């Protein structure tokens, strides 16, 4: 849920000049930490399906408080714990006392940190791509309309041979089409980190599932799918 306070947009001197409202929110603290909570919910749901003792009531409690973030409490917890993720685990647990024992169960800091970065990047691409497509669409008729209108070309910042306005605009369009292809490729190439430890192993989950490798792999697959990745 989008908010209007200082935590609801990415803070940088460039934001007020250039960033759209939706892009500023995409990289905000509120988006970041609510995504952490969503990832903890995905994890709990998948762990429950695969047999860990997690109750529906615990998941429902977490879902009810996804966006209820006490930033002051989180800052105070981080001062005490000197750890950003554990500070937010404690802050989430404070408003979800029933779910507290299973929040972040088996996970490491990279689970929420790295995966949230990937989600925010993907969502950022999803904001940019339609905007770029609209620019291309609106510019597409211009070259044909001015295909025969002569104008001077430039090279080395000096007037050069004649060209046409239509030709110039086609070059702009070609650049934009290449940009579209590169953005789409970068978006599609994103790979979710999934449910793994700091070094990429899944030893903690193997222990939780009593050595059942298939369940550990299924956990990874389920959470990745819930987050909208392949």
């Amino acid at each position: 849920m989008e908010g209007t306070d200082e935590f609801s947009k990415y803070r940088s001197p460039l934001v007020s000049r250039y960033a759209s409202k939706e892009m500023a929110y995409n990289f905000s603290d509120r988006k970041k930490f609510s995504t952490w909570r969503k990832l903890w919910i995905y994890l709990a749901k998948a762990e429950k399906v695969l047999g860990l003792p997690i109750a529906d009531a615990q998941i429902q409690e977490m879902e009810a408080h996804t966006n209820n973030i006490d930033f002051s409490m989180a800052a105070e917890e981080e001062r005490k714990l000197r750890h950003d993720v554990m500070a937010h685990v404690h802050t989430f647990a404070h408003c979800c006392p029933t779910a507290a024992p299973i929040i972040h169960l088996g996970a490491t800091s990279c689970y929420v940190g790295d995966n949230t970065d990937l989600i925010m990047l993907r969502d950022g691409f999803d904001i940019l791509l339609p905007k770029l497509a609209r620019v291309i669409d609106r510019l597409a008729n211009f070259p044909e309309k001015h295909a025969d209108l002569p104008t001077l070309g430039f090279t080395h910042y000096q007037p050069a041979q004649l060209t046409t306005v239509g030709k110039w605009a086609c070059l702009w369009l070609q650049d934009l089409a290449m940009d579209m292809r590169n953005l789409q490729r970068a978006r599609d190439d994103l790979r979710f980190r999934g449910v793994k430890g700091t070094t990429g192993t899944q030893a903690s989950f193997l222990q939780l599932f009593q050595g059942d490798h298939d369940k550990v792999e299924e956990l990874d697959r389920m959470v990745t799918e819930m987050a909208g990745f392949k």
Side-chain angles (χ1 to χ4, degrees), residues 27-181:
F27 289 98
S28 68
D29 283 350
R30 187 170 298 282
K31 168 73 179 280
K32 174 181 177 179
F33 296 122
S34 64
T35 303
W36 283 16
R37 292 185 175 190
K38 288 175 185 175
L39 285 163
W40 284 324
I41 292 167
Y42 299 156
L43 180 64
K45 284 182 173 179
E47 288 176 335
K48 179 182 184 299
V49 169
L50 293 170
L52 294 189
I54 294 171
D56 287 334
Q58 291 174 304
I59 293 171
Q60 290 163 5
E61 186 181 56
M62 292 165 74
E63 289 177 328
H65 293 282
T66 305
N67 297 298
N68 178 24
I69 302 171
D70 187 336
F71 287 96
S72 297
M73 181 180 180
E76 179 58 32
E77 288 291 330
E78 188 167 350
R79 274 191 290 273
K80 290 190 294 185
L81 300 170
R82 303 182 67 81
H83 197 291
D84 57 345
V85 174
M86 289 314 300
H88 277 270
V89 169
H90 284 216
T91 303
F92 197 19
H94 180 74
C95 56
C96 299
T98 304
I102 57 95
I103 294 172
H104 196 69
L105 183 61
T108 185
S109 300
C110 294
Y111 168 66
V112 288
D114 294 0
N115 284 325
T116 293
D117 285 346
L118 289 162
I119 288 169
M120 291 162 79
L121 284 171
R122 180 201 60 199
D123 292 351
F125 281 127
D126 288 345
I127 292 169
L128 284 176
L129 283 163
K131 290 175 182 283
L132 181 54
R134 281 195 293 272
V135 171
I136 291 171
D137 181 62
R138 289 169 183 172
L139 188 56
N141 293 326
F142 181 81
E144 189 171 3
K145 183 178 178 182
H146 299 288
D148 300 325
L149 181 63
T151 186
L152 279 177
F154 280 78
T155 180
H156 300 81
Y157 301 103
Q158 298 179 62
Q161 295 176 356
L162 283 171
T163 182
T164 71
V165 173
K167 171 63 175 174
W168 261 14
C170 283
L171 296 176
W172 306 336
L173 273 166
Q174 183 181 37
D175 279 351
L176 291 172
M178 291 168 68
D179 293 338
M180 172 71 85
R181 184 181 64 184

